[in-house]
Amino acid sequence: MSVHEATRQIRTGQYIPDILDCLAQLSNDEVPTPPKLARAMLDILPAEVWGRSDYRWLDPFAKSGVFLREAAARLLDGLSDQIPDFAARREHIYREMLWGTSITEMTGMIARRSLYYSRDASGPESVVHFDVEAGNLPFVRAEHTFPKTKDGTVTGGCTLCGAPLELERGAGRENYAYSFIHGAFPTEEMKDMKFDVIVGNPPYQIDDGGHNASATPVYHHFVQRAIDLDPRYVVMITPSRWFMGGKGLDKFRTKMLNERRLRKIVDYPKLYDCFPGVKIRGGVSYFLWDRDDPGDCAIQTMWDGEPIGPPVSRRLDDYDVLVRRNEAIGILNKVRARGEATLDADVSAMKPFGLRTFFHGSDTPSGIAEPVKLFGSQRQTWIARPEIPSNADWVDDWKVLMSRVQGTSSAIETQFLARPIVAGPGTACTETYVVAGRFKDEVSAERRAAYLRTRFARFLVSLRKSTQDAARDVYGFIPSLPVDRVWTDADLYKRYQLSAVEIEFIESQVREMLPADSV
């Protein structure tokens, strides 16, 4: 709908905008859920929930109140036969069925305004009158727990969420110690209350002094806490980064891949698809956890708000990561059927020569005994060989260097690996790179570089890579093929007997990378 058409409908009374569609992001963890997305998430619940007057619903990290508002609207319709009187039905739903807590005092006010039509649930404007201002939607303050030495000195971030001491702002102040994961909500008064449906959009990360992907994720704590309460259903939206694991998420990934009660996943790989203007690298996804109905998980990929093909039910634990695209499963199975070793065994760990990213040597080799050319962050410098902390014997090899960071700010990633650098004897690198193979001659190194430039190899990387980080584990699906020949995409498609449809899918996902001169 155009802005002109929307304006015309507003003026003629044909269109009433939803204020929650216009609510801006308040802070890094206060990203409101668009109403359309909230409705889509509620759609994956079994239809029978809307006719259960005995169920209790919980949003333990309310921001705008959209989930409880949308649930209320459906329950008001679904319970009309059981409780015909509208006022009595609304009283029962709002007072006995819908519960939550907000992540800040401000979001608590917004959430109550959305659900009760008043930030003061005890006031005259509230659709249901409670004895307390917060109604069933309070903001509950909690405390971080910081490790300390015997003399009381704090030695690190919160033992649960990793929050730095700077977030502890004193009694009565908001400190982003979210009550749901810090043991303050549900409150002591609610200890005997059983929740049937837990739904919402938890905070995603705590700023630990890093940037974007280096911030500490916290959403997995909310998911685990919700499951621990043993409701009938859990529906949450989180970053899809857990599919591949990484910083603080490896144990959670393993647990979720083995969780047979995870029955539906709706995945949005494209940047900005769910939350316009909010950069969540790797995309987001929402899921349905069903306590009483274990089985395979139906995975649906979305693109530009529309489904790509039908959902496909499969086991999540077939691989050590969650392969998000259903179209990739057949390709990966053909590759793995040959039982070949994988390339991650040839790739170095971070800091291959023991040098940090910020380390740089001299601008010229002049005056340096045993000079070694050092590939570092955005520049090449020189260092004395005895100053290399580890793997100094690798200096004499031909090496293929791969950048640890590859990604763009665009909504779609199509390259997945940076261009390989063939570095000859007398070279080393900082942790800006990993070493993706060491060789005795230039020809072998060039062949490895050519292999990593293929769409086939980079497609397999894409199945394990959800952020800009391209560490050793992203190479874990690439077969380690001999360097006795130059492998082309045509050779690889033939070797693994890929169909025309599978080849078309690979080439739709990964753009061509042309060769470059050796260094």
Side-chain angles (χ1 to χ4, degrees):
M1 180 186 299
S2 68
V3 174
H4 176 76
E5 176 63 16
T7 302
R8 185 192 67 78
Q9 291 191 15
I10 291 171
R11 287 174 177 171
T12 59
Q14 296 174 316
Y15 172 72
I16 300 176
D18 189 337
I19 188 62
L20 297 189
D21 277 322
C22 308
L23 195 60
Q25 179 179 348
L26 299 175
S27 69
N28 286 339
D29 62 345
E30 294 170 316
V31 181
T33 308
K36 181 180 178 180
L37 176 59
R39 290 191 287 269
M41 290 173 60
L42 294 176
D43 284 345
I44 68 173
L45 282 162
E48 61 96 11
V49 301
W50 309 114
R52 295 297 299 261
S53 61
D54 58 331
Y55 277 11
R56 286 195 180 102
W57 294 66
L58 175 67
D59 180 353
F61 22 74
K63 302 179 185 74
S64 67
V66 66
F67 290 102
L68 295 179
R69 187 195 71 172
E70 295 297 327
R74 297 186 187 204
L75 291 167
L76 282 166
D77 181 58
L79 298 178
S80 58
D81 290 340
Q82 296 180 46
I83 311 175
D85 181 77
F86 178 80
R89 185 163 73 250
R90 183 174 62 186
E91 184 80 12
H92 174 77
I93 291 169
Y94 281 67
R95 191 178 297 278
E96 303 297 333
M97 297 183 66
L98 303 179
W99 303 78
T101 186
S102 60
I103 63 171
T104 65
E105 291 183 1
M106 177 178 289
T107 57
M109 295 177 188
I110 297 171
R112 290 193 293 274
R113 178 64 179 81
S114 298
L115 183 61
Y116 304 136
Y117 295 5
S118 173
R119 70 177 189 178
D120 181 358
S122 63
E125 303 301 324
S126 179
V127 294
V128 174
H129 297 285
F130 290 84
D131 293 334
V132 294
E133 180 178 337
N136 288 345
L137 254 173
F139 165 67
V140 178
R141 193 180 188 279
E143 302 291 339
H144 293 292
T145 301
F146 297 101
K148 297 179 180 179
T149 60
K150 290 182 179 180
D151 64 0
T153 302
V154 173
T155 59
C158 174
T159 55
L160 174 69
C161 69
L165 182 63
E166 290 74 24
L167 288 183
E168 190 60 58
R169 298 165 180 167
R173 302 285 299 280
E174 292 173 2
N175 59 355
Y176 296 92
Y178 305 107
S179 58
F180 188 60
I181 61 173
H182 286 81
F185 186 89
T187 62
E188 183 67 20
E189 293 78 13
M190 303 168 72
K191 64 181 180 181
D192 296 326
M193 188 177 292
K194 182 67 177 176
F195 294 102
D196 299 280
V197 185
I198 299 179
V199 60
N201 178 12
Y204 293 164
Q205 63 188 33
I206 288 284
D207 186 358
D208 61 359
H211 178 66
N212 292 336
S214 69
T216 300
V218 294
Y219 57 88
H220 56 302
H221 296 306
F222 292 93
V223 174
Q224 189 57 60
R225 172 65 174 148
I227 292 174
D228 288 345
L229 287 181
D230 198 34
R232 297 175 188 270
Y233 305 106
V234 177
V235 176
M236 286 192 199
I237 185 167
T238 71
S240 296
R241 200 171 291 165
W242 70 263
F243 292 179
M244 283 70 177
K247 187 173 184 179
L249 295 170
D250 288 344
K251 290 182 179 179
F252 177 71
R253 174 197 59 194
T254 300
K255 186 176 182 64
M256 292 292 274
L257 294 184
N258 288 279
E259 178 55 86
R260 296 286 287 166
R261 296 169 293 181
L262 197 60
R263 298 307 312 279
K264 296 179 182 179
I265 294 177
V266 181
D267 181 31
Y268 291 77
K270 187 177 180 182
L271 202 64
Y272 308 123
D273 227 3
C274 276
F275 300 99
V278 182
K279 184 178 290 186
I280 304 173
R281 292 199 179 277
V284 298
S285 56
Y286 55 86
F287 66 84
L288 169 67
W289 179 90
D290 187 334
R291 184 189 67 191
D292 301 326
D293 185 28
D296 290 350
C297 183
I299 298 179
Q300 175 70 72
T301 303
M302 306 291 289
W303 200 266
D304 289 332
E306 298 295 329
I308 300 178
V312 175
S313 291
R314 49 189 170 97
R315 290 187 66 101
L316 300 181
D317 59 352
D318 284 342
Y319 311 102
D320 64 323
V321 298
L322 176 53
V323 178
R324 66 197 309 177
R325 291 298 295 267
N326 294 321
E327 303 95 324
I329 296 298
I331 299 171
L332 184 56
N333 286 343
K334 288 181 179 180
V335 173
R336 289 168 63 89
R338 297 183 68 103
E340 295 164 327
T342 51
L343 202 62
D344 55 320
D346 295 348
V347 179
S348 69
M350 61 187 298
K351 291 193 294 186
F353 291 91
L355 298 170
R356 298 296 305 274
T357 294
F358 51 76
F359 179 86
H360 295 287
S362 300
D363 291 336
T364 70
S366 178
I368 299 177
E370 297 185 76
V372 173
K373 189 176 185 179
L374 183 68
F375 290 83
S377 177
Q378 301 181 358
R379 53 189 290 211
Q380 297 167 27
T381 57
W382 297 84
I383 184 176
R385 184 169 183 147
E387 295 180 24
I388 296 175
S390 58
N391 297 320
D393 54 316
W394 294 6
V395 168
D396 298 322
D397 296 326
W398 283 89
K399 298 169 285 292
V400 177
L401 307 183
M402 301 296 295
S403 173
R404 269 288 304 271
V405 177
Q406 165 56 39
T408 68
S409 59
S410 63
I412 305 171
E413 175 61 75
T414 57
Q415 182 160 309
F416 302 107
L417 287 179
R419 187 179 301 279
I421 296 174
V422 175
T427 60
C429 64
T430 68
E431 66 175 336
T432 300
Y433 300 92
V434 293
V435 177
R438 297 180 291 113
F439 307 92
K440 295 303 180 184
D441 58 83
E442 181 179 7
V443 171
S444 298
E446 290 284 4
R447 288 171 176 169
R448 171 61 58 81
Y451 182 36
L452 290 172
R453 288 195 299 268
T454 63
R455 281 171 155 159
F456 173 84
R458 289 181 289 127
F459 171 76
L460 294 175
V461 165
S462 76
L463 305 185
R464 301 185 65 92
K465 184 172 180 283
S466 63
T467 68
Q468 291 178 306
D469 190 32
R472 176 167 58 187
D473 63 309
V474 307
Y475 299 83
F477 284 152
I478 304 177
S480 181
L481 298 184
V483 290
D484 57 357
R485 56 177 294 183
V486 175
W487 292 99
T488 66
D489 277 312
D491 297 329
L492 295 163
Y493 297 156
K494 182 178 180 180
R495 178 182 179 86
Y496 297 103
Q497 299 180 336
L498 302 188
S499 69
V501 172
E502 291 169 333
I503 293 170
E504 182 181 5
F505 178 65
I506 289 175
E507 296 189 347
S508 73
Q509 301 298 300
V510 186
R511 68 179 173 89
E512 186 177 14
M513 182 185 289
L514 298 175
D517 294 334
S518 300
V519 177

